[in-house]
Amino acid sequence: TASSTLRSHSTGIFTWEVNGNEKMRINSNGNLVHQGGNGVEVFYSHGYVGGNTALSVDVPCDSDTGSGTVFHIEASMTHHPSYDCMLETWLSCRGTSCTNYEQFRRDTSNSGAWSVSRTSNTNLRVSKSAGSYVGAGPWWVRVTYRRV
């Protein structure tokens, strides 16, 4: 039979192990890592904001200067079906040099538009510009990545 253990580490990391093998961790920054410390990370952030308000979310990640990282970014802000803005894109990065492979985008002048930039080799920034509509609604950003 399999034995399962949840461990709390002094560094603020929680790990879940099965038969002594790490299967999942929650890093001190809140990111969920599948298949242990070097696995696939899922960053998730959310909140509530006005359509006429800009916001930025920084996604911390390990240095990829020598190896590169592929990011899958999904983002949404909505307060009305006609005004929502959405993004789904892939970025292939090494340091601050990136290539964008966009799959889907819906920008509106009411809610704004999503953009992605690489501020350093350890930080990805997902931003929403300010639109014109003062109504507020929920937003969320999810970034999935593993260093190449």
Side-chain angles (χ1 to χ4, degrees):
T1 63
S3 75
S4 176
T5 306
L6 179 63
R7 295 188 195 281
S8 173
H9 301 269
S10 61
T11 57
I13 296 173
F14 289 93
T15 59
W16 178 53
E17 300 172 1
V18 175
N19 292 337
N21 297 313
E22 185 178 311
K23 297 298 181 184
M24 190 178 306
R25 79 170 37 209
I26 299 175
N27 284 343
S28 58
N29 59 13
N31 289 0
L32 180 64
V33 184
H34 300 273
Q35 297 303 318
N38 294 317
V40 174
E41 290 201 40
V42 179
F43 171 92
Y44 183 76
S45 186
H46 62 90
Y48 202 81
V49 69
N52 63 344
T53 305
L55 68 92
S56 288
V57 177
D58 284 342
V59 182
C61 53
D62 294 336
S63 174
D64 66 1
T65 298
S67 57
T69 304
V70 174
F71 297 92
H72 181 206
I73 300 114
E74 298 167 288
S76 173
M77 188 275 169
T78 188
H79 49 81
H80 185 284
S82 299
Y83 300 159
D84 54 6
C85 60
M86 298 173 273
L87 174 70
E88 182 181 15
T89 189
W90 293 83
L91 261 66
S92 178
C93 298
R94 183 172 179 174
T96 56
S97 174
C98 292
T99 302
N100 181 11
Y101 302 95
E102 195 164 288
Q103 290 189 269
F104 178 78
R105 168 182 293 275
R106 181 169 186 227
D107 299 335
T108 69
S109 59
N110 293 297
S111 295
W114 290 102
S115 63
V116 179
S117 61
R118 192 70 192 259
T119 60
S120 75
N121 67 325
T122 59
N123 192 73
L124 181 77
R125 180 167 292 148
V126 182
S127 303
K128 183 191 84 69
S129 64
S132 60
Y133 186 69
V134 297
W139 64 268
W140 59 266
V141 172
R142 180 173 60 193
V143 180
T144 306
Y145 60 96
R146 179 173 181 171
R147 286 176 41 198
V148 177

